[in-house]
Amino acid sequence: MGKGLMVQKFGGSSLANVERIQNVAKRIVSYKKKGYDLVVVVSALGDTTDELIKLANRINPEPSEREMDMLLSTGEQVSVALLAMAIHKLGYEAISFTGIQVGIITDSSHTRARIIKINTDKIKQELNNDKIVIVAGFQGVTFNQDITTLGRGGSDLTAVALAKELNAKECEIYTDVEGIYTTDPRIEPKARKLEAITYDEMLEMASLGAQVMQARSIEVAKKFNVPIHVRSSFSKKSGTMILREVKKMEDVVVSGVTVNKSEAKITVCNVPDRPGIAARIFKELAVHGISVDMIVQNVSHLRQTDISFTVDKIILPKVIKLTKQIAKDIKAGDVLQDEDIARVSIVGVGMKSHPGVAAKMFEALAENRINIEMISTSDISISCIIRKRFAELATRAIHKKFALAK
Ligand code: ADP
Ligand code: ASP
Ligand code: MG
């Protein structure tokens, strides 16, 4: 009698060279020996996706999104085949599939497609043949047979969606750190590994820059209550569980600190200060599918004001072009761009019931003479925009201020 089905996802860093691929194959086989049925999801090897993006940009700085998906989806196809071969070499049966082959059907929003449904027949059939099934992460296909991708880090989403659809007992995410930490352990070596974290906190941390899990994958996990175990592919230690609820001994006010350097700030100068203008700017951006992060409007002088907002750098050229047109239409002044910013944030569900959390964060920055340029808050997070060169210093200072270290 089998032990049930397990979905295991291995990130690019876990597959960066031949030895690592062999190592991953050994781990998978060890679970097969224990009696698990296995569906394995893999990312592209090492930095393949970044390299492919660079290559595309050298050919055309504004590549078509459809062609981008066609290109990027090749990375994961390499991984599934090599991993299947590595498992065969160990004497076990495995079969690889692309997202298209297993029928991961998505909408047609290229580079950030949403999963509509998954046909699991093919996977189930191969599991019945006692094979280890290896699926390419990050990719899907539209009803029109166009290849799509699920946004950066999208293999996490493939894994969670398959775990849900196949009713897996466990969904393991293998990466190059031992779990979810109080902050990126590469920035603060004293960061502490969390035993468990709630979907809500993980979602907030991921949205605010902790790239260890893709935010959308956590949304899906939360919606369908899929428990996730994030752990290292280089050790046997258990990692961090991501769950609906986590019992903590004491009130933890702040669970983690995140940093995000992938945003840019845009400022529209000398905007006429009258009702309806902000609505006009942001409606126009929304119509073009642009989601804006922080927004700040300065105090008005002489019936004119500056409005600043942040967007993901990837869409900066498009946003600048559009904003310049809007500025002209509403008779505003110059449009300035600034890529030299970083967002540092604190996240914690305990924040709701504790006053003074923001003040403490600002203090940590002040003590290090770091100027705050923009601030935004949610129920369970506070973010500050600062100069990019202070990102690491700020992260460590805030981490220390809230006593998050081991
Ligand atoms: P993979 O290739 O496995 O998908 P990623 O690079 O996407 O790996 O994510 C793992 C990285 O996330 C880690 O190497 C770490 O530097 C970074 N990271 C950022 N914030 C955190 C955090 N709070 N806890 C753990 N890792 C984090
Ligand atoms: N290879 C894709 C990326 O780098 C998907 C993933 O790694 O999850 O974004
Ligand atoms: Mg990742």
Side-chain angles (χ1 to χ4, degrees):
M1 188 51 200
K3 278 198 168 167
L5 176 74
M6 200 163 184
V7 172
Q8 299 184 320
K9 177 255 170 179
F10 294 88
S13 47
S14 305
L15 301 160
N17 55 44
V18 171
E19 287 71 38
R20 288 189 183 181
I21 296 171
Q22 288 165 336
N23 173 49
V24 165
K26 275 189 210 142
R27 182 179 294 257
I28 293 166
V29 163
S30 76
Y31 279 88
K32 186 71 189 162
K33 282 185 191 157
K34 284 184 202 163
Y36 286 101
D37 288 330
L38 293 165
V39 172
V40 177
V41 175
V42 289
S43 300
L45 310 186
D47 297 325
T48 303
T49 308
D50 291 325
E51 299 300 331
L52 289 173
I53 292 173
K54 274 188 214 147
L55 182 61
N57 286 323
R58 280 174 56 199
I59 303 275
N60 183 343
E62 287 184 67
S64 128
E65 291 184 329
R66 181 190 182 277
E67 301 312 327
M68 205 62 180
D69 281 351
M70 188 65 105
L71 178 69
L72 297 190
S73 63
T74 61
E76 272 68 12
Q77 190 170 342
V78 171
S79 304
V80 285
L82 292 176
L83 185 57
M85 292 173 193
I87 294 173
H88 295 163
K89 190 80 173 52
L90 297 173
Y92 283 78
E93 291 212 70
I95 182 162
S96 69
F97 291 116
T98 61
I100 296 91
Q101 282 178 300
V102 294
I104 298 181
I105 309 293
T106 73
D107 66 13
S108 58
S109 20
H110 284 288
T111 74
R112 52 187 176 279
R114 293 193 164 263
I115 298 176
I116 296 171
K117 64 171 190 169
I118 302 179
N119 302 323
T120 49
D121 295 355
K122 203 156 187 154
I123 296 178
K124 285 180 180 154
Q125 203 179 325
E126 296 301 341
L127 288 172
N128 282 338
N129 295 335
D130 209 27
K131 288 193 183 160
I132 297 167
V133 177
I134 307 173
V135 180
F138 178 53
Q139 53 182 254
V141 65
T142 66
F143 287 114
N144 284 332
Q145 303 296 309
D146 281 319
I147 295 177
T148 53
T149 63
L150 309 175
R152 292 308 306 269
S155 298
D156 297 335
L157 178 58
T158 308
V160 171
L162 283 174
K164 184 254 158 189
E165 211 56 39
L166 294 162
N167 239 323
K169 252 175 117 174
E170 283 195 66
C171 180
E172 292 186 323
I173 304 287
Y174 285 91
T175 184
D176 60 350
V177 287
E178 286 183 0
I180 310 296
Y181 285 71
T182 47
T183 193
D184 188 339
R186 285 177 213 290
I187 296 177
E188 175 50 277
K190 291 197 199 103
R192 184 166 42 86
K193 187 174 91 186
L194 303 167
E195 293 256 313
I197 186 168
T198 61
Y199 294 126
D200 289 329
E201 284 175 311
M202 190 65 238
L203 180 55
E204 196 81 355
M205 277 178 74
S207 312
L208 293 171
Q211 101 262 29
V212 57
M213 285 298 297
Q214 190 212 30
R216 280 176 52 202
S217 72
I218 304 298
E219 259 168 15
V220 172
K222 182 185 172 189
K223 188 162 163 196
F224 299 106
N225 218 356
V226 181
I228 298 175
H229 184 184
V230 180
R231 57 191 304 192
S232 165
S233 60
F234 308 117
S235 96
K236 291 236 153 65
K237 283 193 208 159
S238 68
T240 304
M241 290 304 302
I242 310 177
L243 307 162
R244 184 162 301 277
E245 246 178 293
V246 174
K247 290 205 176 60
K248 286 174 186 156
M249 288 289 281
E250 287 174 75
D251 262 9
V252 181
V253 181
V254 171
S255 303
V257 183
T258 63
V259 55
N260 184 359
K261 295 188 196 169
S262 65
E263 283 173 80
K265 181 169 87 174
I266 294 166
T267 302
V268 189
C269 303
N270 302 328
V271 177
D273 194 9
R274 57 166 198 269
I277 288 289
R280 174 110 184 251
I281 297 176
F282 294 105
K283 190 175 167 204
E284 194 70 23
L285 292 171
V287 164
H288 287 83
I290 289 159
S291 63
V292 168
D293 280 319
M294 274 192 211
I295 302 174
V296 170
Q297 177 172 336
N298 291 344
V299 192
S300 154
H301 298 289
L302 304 167
R303 298 183 154 264
Q304 287 192 330
T305 179
D306 293 349
I307 293 182
S308 298
F309 56 91
T310 63
V311 293
D312 202 307
K313 262 183 212 163
I314 298 177
I315 54 170
L316 186 61
K318 181 174 164 187
V319 178
I320 286 289
K321 216 169 168 179
L322 201 61
T323 309
K324 281 189 171 155
Q325 187 54 51
I326 302 169
K328 208 167 144 196
D329 294 346
I330 61 172
K331 301 198 164 53
D334 287 344
V335 174
L336 311 176
Q337 70 184 76
D338 181 355
E339 293 186 65
D340 236 7
I341 58 163
R343 177 204 286 246
V344 278
S345 314
I346 51 175
V347 174
V349 282
M351 226 179 256
K352 293 180 197 173
S353 50
H354 283 78
V357 181
K360 203 164 161 180
M361 179 184 188
F362 302 157
E363 245 168 49
L365 296 174
E367 282 158 10
N368 287 277
R369 303 178 149 274
I370 299 169
N371 189 41
I372 301 170
E373 301 177 25
M374 293 166 107
I375 299 168
S376 79
T377 64
S378 83
D379 244 16
I380 61 166
S381 73
I382 303 169
S383 297
C384 296
I385 296 286
I386 58 171
R387 284 294 100 196
K388 189 155 80 183
R389 65 180 180 280
F390 295 132
E392 284 77 19
L393 175 64
T395 304
R396 285 190 288 264
I398 296 166
H399 193 263
K400 191 168 175 202
K401 194 83 182 171
F402 287 96
L404 297 176
K406 312 186 215 214

